[in-house]
């Protein structure tokens, strides 16, 4: 991608210009979930399923989180973006 042609979102984060529609919405959900202090406080060290800036499910196993999100929302799993909310436990792990 040519940096001079990069588009930015409302907080100045660059994103690929080829994102549109639902892909762009999921990207914005990802940015929101990974940077919102309230989400960080509520779901440290958890995988969260997000759709339209709402956390529909959280847990430790991605497939289980997606299943719970589908159950809670009535939406298919393709509508959600999954991300890990890093807390102290994950940051302090020895790999």
């Amino acid at each position: 991608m040519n940096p001079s042609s990069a588009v930015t979102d409302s907080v100045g984060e660059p994103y690929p210009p080829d994102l549109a529609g639902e892909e762009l919405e999921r990207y914005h959900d990802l940015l929101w979930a990974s940077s919102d202090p309230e989400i960080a406080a509520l779901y440290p060290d958890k995988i969260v399923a997000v759709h339209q800036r709402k956390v529909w499910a959280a847990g430790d196993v991605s497939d289980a989180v997606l299943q719970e999100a589908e159950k809670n929302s009535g939406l298919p799993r393709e509508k959600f973006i999954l991300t890990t909310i890093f807390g102290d436990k994950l940051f302090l792990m020895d790999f």
Side-chain angles (χ1 to χ4, degrees):
M1 173 174 63
N2 179 354
S4 64
S5 67
V7 180
T8 60
D9 66 13
S10 61
V11 292
E13 293 290 327
Y15 60 86
D18 57 335
L19 291 180
E22 288 185 9
E23 288 179 337
L24 183 58
E25 182 180 317
R26 283 192 293 273
Y27 177 79
H28 285 159
D29 285 342
L30 175 66
L31 288 178
W32 169 77
S34 61
S35 63
D36 187 274
E38 185 176 345
I39 299 302
L42 290 171
Y43 305 104
D45 305 310
K46 297 294 178 190
I47 298 167
V48 295
V50 179
H51 177 66
Q52 295 184 338
R53 294 193 180 195
K54 178 177 179 173
V55 175
W56 288 94
D60 297 319
V61 179
S62 58
D63 194 53
V65 171
L66 280 172
Q67 287 177 0
E68 183 181 346
E70 287 177 307
K71 179 183 169 188
N72 292 341
S73 69
L75 297 169
R77 63 181 49 213
E78 295 80 23
K79 296 288 185 181
F80 299 98
I81 187 78
L82 291 183
T83 189
T84 301
I85 306 302
F86 290 96
D88 291 341
K89 180 180 171 187
L90 289 176
F91 277 127
L92 300 175
M93 289 181 72
D94 289 328
F95 290 97

